[in-house]
Amino acid sequence: MNAEPDPGQGTAGATTVREATLEVLHEYGLTTLFANPGSTEVAFLTDLPESLTFVLALHEGSVVGMATGWALARERPALVQLHTTAGLGNAVGALATARVNRAPLVVLVGQQDRRHLALEPFLTGDLHGLGGDYPVHVAEPAVPQDVPGAVARAHHEAVRGQGPALVVVPQGDWSAPAYPKDTGTPPPERAAAARVVSASGVEDGDVHDLAVLVAGARRPALVTGAGTDSAQGWAALVALAEHLQAPVFQESFGARAGFPQDHPLYAGVLPADRERLRAVLSVHDVVLAAGAPVFRQYQYSPGPLVEPGTRLALITDRPAEAHRSPVELAVLAPVAPALRALVRHLPARSGQEGPGESTERSAGSPETVQAPSTPEPGPRGPLRPAEVMAALAERIDADTVIVEETPSSRPDLHRILPARRPLGYVSAAMGGLGFALPAAAGIRMGAPDRPVVAVVGDGSALYQVQALWSAARYGTGVLFLVLANGRYAIMDRLAEARGGKPPWPAFDQVSLSALAGGLGCPSRQVGSHEDLAAALDEIVPTLRGRTEPVLLDVAVAPDPEFRP
């Protein structure tokens, strides 16, 4: 390895952790990388040197299986990269095989940026024990500068133990100076509530201090998510919102809709980056989250969550969420009863800013919903995702369950297909792909009286395409609407945002309709506006009583304007 630079030198032009790690990989001959990419790995993968060969597989079981075969054939360790909880979880069976087969693997596991790990942002994983006893070694470097050494140690452990050795690397570590004197990293928020009120039941006194805080607000706002997605939760939150005449935001990356998204007070989905989040919430002096965390984020960006003049409070039934949230006051209690008690304590508001003004001011987020709308038809070329969703919105019943897993088209879905009933919207809040196909089948089995439509990207669908067999075998009657652009569009955008190009290829030769047919699920390809209208006109009216699932493989153009 090269001699270490002087630790006293400035950070400008200094060797990064990524550069130092690449030196380690080359020193140990780890120059073929088996991966299925995820966003927490983009910082490492963008603009890979030509000396490092990238091999794409479509599922982590295949990633590790290929690397195992390569390691056994070459009689030396293979290099693997897995995507946080979802990737490591999907790969556990294959890692077990590698251990028993005595295949040495050096496995880099992505993690969210450590500067906000304490707030458990989107895609955070509790990774240390997820692989069970199958890894021969697991390292979670305490600081970014430990990463290169941890990778070198993993190589030795993989050879010594003849199995997979894991190194968990937060995504922000790759760009950190490898030998810093002073990184200049701003301190994170204090990841703890200033005060927690705990109540197993809900007495009026339990919400007294919260009521005082909210009553003193000039422009309060509410944030909600899966914790109020029930008939009781919707009713209680609607009553509070109307009592306060306060806008209600949906948490970013929410698993379920906690408020009717066609209600006049619905203000849209909160941005998933701090700069836009601060802008959206800056007009509000008190923000109360109910049944949602404070606040889920995606890529790390510096600065506080909210402006100094915005006070935060929380109602949750999850102890960990109450204690880690950076709020002034957290009430740990059943959410719907606490909301009802809060209404009893608060005077009704009149003459306050109406929902229209708040919603308009909140439009800094690309996911913010002013009202459901249908885009104007485009030229008779490739379909756009928004056009597909608009055609669906025109035809489905209000109680249809939309199961979403289309990351690059999620803002369009929130705008065009609002949840109008409890359980009207379901998604994977953890962020791992492979949720929608099996979840949609399970929801239909559990709620056979409700129509179910899964709106899924083709990349997402490939993670659990096997679920189509079960959907057909057990007569679920789900409409699987696959938006096929032949690539990991959100990953492409993330790489472009870093000013580089990705190493992964497109997979536009994959046919979801052919895969569905092979798994016993009826399917058809849709390539035009006319085909789409005809298919939906035929299928949607049958969804309530349908027992046979069907997959529509809809060719769409990637959205060039999407911003992760």
Side-chain angles (χ1 to χ4, degrees), residues 43-437:
F44 178 80
L45 291 172
T46 301
D47 289 333
L48 283 178
E50 293 183 359
S51 56
L52 191 58
T53 301
F54 181 92
V55 179
L56 174 69
L58 299 182
H59 186 274
E60 288 81 4
S62 299
V63 169
V64 175
M66 293 171 68
T68 298
W70 190 95
L72 293 174
R74 297 290 184 97
E75 297 185 341
R76 59 187 178 89
L79 178 63
V80 173
Q81 192 163 52
L82 299 176
H83 177 46
T84 190
T85 306
L88 179 56
N90 287 343
V92 168
L95 291 172
T97 298
R99 171 72 177 262
V100 176
N101 283 4
R102 298 175 179 267
L105 306 178
V106 174
V107 184
L108 304 178
V109 183
Q111 174 65 291
Q112 254 286 7
D113 197 297
R114 70 170 71 236
R115 290 169 291 186
H116 63 164
L117 273 180
L119 301 181
E120 293 193 14
F122 187 66
L123 290 176
T124 302
D126 186 5
L127 302 173
H128 192 275
L130 185 57
D133 294 331
Y134 297 117
V136 297
H137 173 76
V138 179
E140 293 185 274
V143 294
Q145 291 71 37
D146 288 348
V147 170
V151 173
R153 168 76 179 274
H155 177 273
H156 295 305
E157 294 288 352
V159 172
R160 185 178 68 87
Q162 291 295 291
L166 277 56
V167 181
V168 178
V169 186
Q171 62 182 26
D173 287 12
W174 295 117
S175 58
Y179 316 99
K181 178 179 180 181
D182 180 6
T183 63
T185 302
E189 289 86 10
R190 184 184 66 182
R195 190 159 68 93
V196 176
V197 174
S198 182
S200 56
V202 180
E203 303 292 337
D204 285 357
D206 297 324
V207 298
H208 175 268
D209 291 351
L210 181 59
V212 171
L213 175 64
V214 175
R218 189 166 57 91
R219 286 181 175 168
L222 304 172
V223 176
T224 192
T228 57
D229 187 24
S230 65
Q232 288 188 347
W234 277 38
L237 192 58
V238 166
L240 177 61
E242 293 178 347
H243 194 73
L244 294 173
Q245 281 300 291
V248 181
F249 295 92
Q250 171 79 23
E251 65 162 318
S252 61
F253 302 109
R256 293 152 64 181
F259 187 81
Q261 294 179 343
D262 56 350
H263 192 283
L265 287 167
Y266 179 61
V269 180
L270 284 180
D273 69 87
R274 294 182 182 219
E275 182 179 1
R276 289 183 294 160
L277 179 67
R278 289 193 296 272
V280 166
L281 296 181
S282 63
V283 299
H284 303 290
D285 51 350
V286 172
V287 178
L288 170 62
V294 180
F295 294 109
R296 303 199 87 198
Q297 297 282 277
Y298 190 21
Q299 301 291 311
Y300 176 80
S301 58
L305 288 171
V306 295
E307 298 291 353
T310 301
R311 304 168 73 181
L312 301 177
L314 170 69
I315 298 174
T316 180
D317 55 6
R318 295 189 167 190
E321 193 167 83
H323 290 284
R324 73 166 181 262
S325 297
V327 298
E328 183 173 329
L329 176 61
V331 174
L332 179 58
V335 177
L339 290 171
R340 291 194 294 267
L342 191 57
V343 170
R344 292 194 297 269
H345 268 67
L346 290 170
R349 298 168 66 88
S350 60
Q352 303 294 327
E353 177 188 74
E357 184 179 349
S358 285
T359 304
E360 182 179 351
R361 291 187 181 189
S362 302
S365 165
E367 297 187 40
T368 297
V369 178
Q370 279 77 47
S373 61
T374 301
E376 293 296 325
R380 292 307 185 190
L383 283 158
R384 293 177 292 164
E387 293 171 332
V388 178
M389 295 175 193
L392 179 65
E394 291 172 353
R395 293 165 170 83
I396 58 173
D397 294 340
D399 66 337
T400 299
V401 181
I402 299 295
V403 185
E404 176 270 322
E405 194 169 20
T406 174
S408 62
S409 304
R410 184 178 291 123
D412 284 332
L413 187 142
H414 282 309
R415 177 171 56 87
I416 297 167
L417 289 166
R420 294 179 281 173
R421 300 286 189 277
L423 200 69
Y425 169 79
V426 180
S427 185
M430 187 65 194
L433 299 180
F435 171 79
L437 299 190

